[in-house]
Amino acid sequence: MKAIEIASFGGPEGLRECLRPDPVPGPGELLIRVRASGVNRPDVLQRKGAYPPPPGASDLPGLEVAGEVVGGAQAELAAAGLALGDRVCALVAGGGYAEQCAAPIAQCLPVPAGFSDVEAASLPETFFTVWSNVFERGRLQPGETLLVQGGSSGIGVTAIQLGKAFGATVIVTAGDDAKCQACLGLGADHAVNYRTQDFSAEVMSLTGGRGCDVVLDMVAGDYVAREVSCLAEDGRLVIIAVQGGVRSGFDAGLVLRRRLTITGSTLRQRPVAFKAAIAAALRERVWPLLEAGRVRPVIHRVFEARDASAAHALMESSQHVGKIVLQWN
């Protein structure tokens, strides 16, 4: 099969097309003929040598795919309500940048009715992440206020739409006015340009001094202190990336007085059973919203798979709104 491998750690030019043996699905896995592969920040980190795949995972980058089921034990497929030829999308721990990909059956979901493979490939990584962190760890409730850092990212556009679909007020930050407008167009109630405004002060103003209930943070670093200062009583800060650095200082007194929770998670290393539970929740709670058009994929640009280096360069430029996807022809 054709695949995109990391030939050398460093810049986007380190990605190259190659030939690899077809993967063989193991127990509890199926084989997907990949039609499209999502591009995500962790792929960039892996290319730079900063985010190695977990033990046993493919060394190829790529955490989400969509395509057709072409292999797997018939009994296991049937038990999951699947059959050869079915269209699925899947969250994987690696190996997504390839024409074929083995995936745990429990981490596969049917392609939503009416969706293309490109649209379906844009779903797993961000939807699994947002559901796990905003709704399970962050316990976002209807009527609460959610602050999303980086609202124009793939994670951000998903968090905006799911937050609104489940009855929250959504405030986002973005790096320029055009991105702020794009976020408002997706349903965000308020958008703050973090380059020209103090997001913490804006959150307090927009909430009448109450603060927000949940923060989804992809920055960490010096953002944490400002996020703590604009959380409401019993607020929850969920950190899912550390683009701003791993060290943070904050007012611990506020944590005590407001009974705040500071938590975080990564998804790639978690066991299949954990991801399977998220998949089941998405199938029940979110897939109907996608099929009804209440939540939609936001695709910024599609690249041919052989142009993965250009896709990574765009990802690193942060000039995109929504998802970047590779397609295989």
Side-chain angles (χ1 to χ4, degrees), residues 187-240:
D189 296 281
H190 308 283
V192 179
N193 184 337
Y194 65 79
R195 298 186 190 279
T196 60
Q197 298 170 288
D198 178 345
F199 73 78
S200 181
E202 290 297 315
V203 167
M204 296 305 288
S205 175
L206 291 167
T207 60
R210 177 182 178 276
C212 57
D213 299 284
V214 178
V215 178
L216 183 63
D217 178 20
M218 293 167 268
V219 183
D222 63 7
Y223 267 44
V224 174
R226 287 184 279 167
E227 289 162 343
V228 166
S229 73
C230 68
L231 275 167
E233 291 188 356
D234 297 302
R236 290 84 73 194
L237 165 59
V238 187
I239 301 170
I240 61 170

Side-chain angles (χ1 to χ4, degrees), residues 38-237:
V39 177
N40 295 281
R41 290 277 178 188
D43 305 344
V44 172
L45 293 175
Q46 182 175 336
R47 191 205 71 225
K48 291 180 175 181
Y51 193 38
S58 170
D59 66 304
L60 297 174
L63 302 178
E64 58 185 350
V65 297
E68 303 161 15
V69 178
V70 294
Q74 296 282 359
E76 291 181 334
L77 292 175
L82 294 171
L84 296 178
D86 284 353
R87 297 173 65 226
V88 297
C89 57
L91 181 75
V92 294
Y97 288 13
E99 289 182 313
Q100 295 195 57
C101 181
I105 294 172
Q107 293 172 206
C108 297
L109 287 160
V111 171
F115 277 46
S116 68
D117 291 320
V118 165
E119 290 172 325
S122 77
L123 301 176
E125 172 68 10
T126 57
F127 278 75
F128 274 71
T129 298
V130 170
W131 187 263
S132 177
N133 288 285
V134 172
F135 295 94
E136 294 182 347
R137 298 193 75 80
R139 308 185 307 279
L140 183 69
Q141 301 297 312
E144 291 190 328
T145 298
L146 168 68
L147 171 63
V148 179
Q149 304 286 17
S152 62
S153 67
I155 293 287
V157 299
T158 301
I160 291 169
Q161 295 187 81
L162 289 183
K164 292 303 298 179
F166 286 96
T169 296
V170 179
I171 304 172
V172 304
T173 65
D176 60 49
D177 291 343
K179 288 182 178 179
C180 286
Q181 285 300 314
C183 292
L184 293 172
L186 289 168
D189 296 281
H190 308 283
V192 179
N193 184 337
Y194 65 79
R195 298 186 190 279
T196 60
Q197 298 170 288
D198 178 345
F199 73 78
S200 181
E202 290 297 315
V203 167
M204 296 305 288
S205 175
L206 291 167
T207 60
R210 177 182 178 276
C212 57
D213 299 284
V214 178
V215 178
L216 183 63
D217 178 20
M218 293 167 268
V219 183
D222 63 7
Y223 267 44
V224 174
R226 287 184 279 167
E227 289 162 343
V228 166
S229 73
C230 68
L231 275 167
E233 291 188 356
D234 297 302
R236 290 84 73 194
L237 165 59

Side-chain angles (χ1 to χ4, degrees), residues 240-258:
I240 61 170
V242 290
Q243 296 177 29
V246 298
R247 297 192 179 278
S248 304
F250 55 88
D251 185 344
L254 283 176
V255 176
L256 301 179
R257 293 191 297 274
R258 296 184 187 172

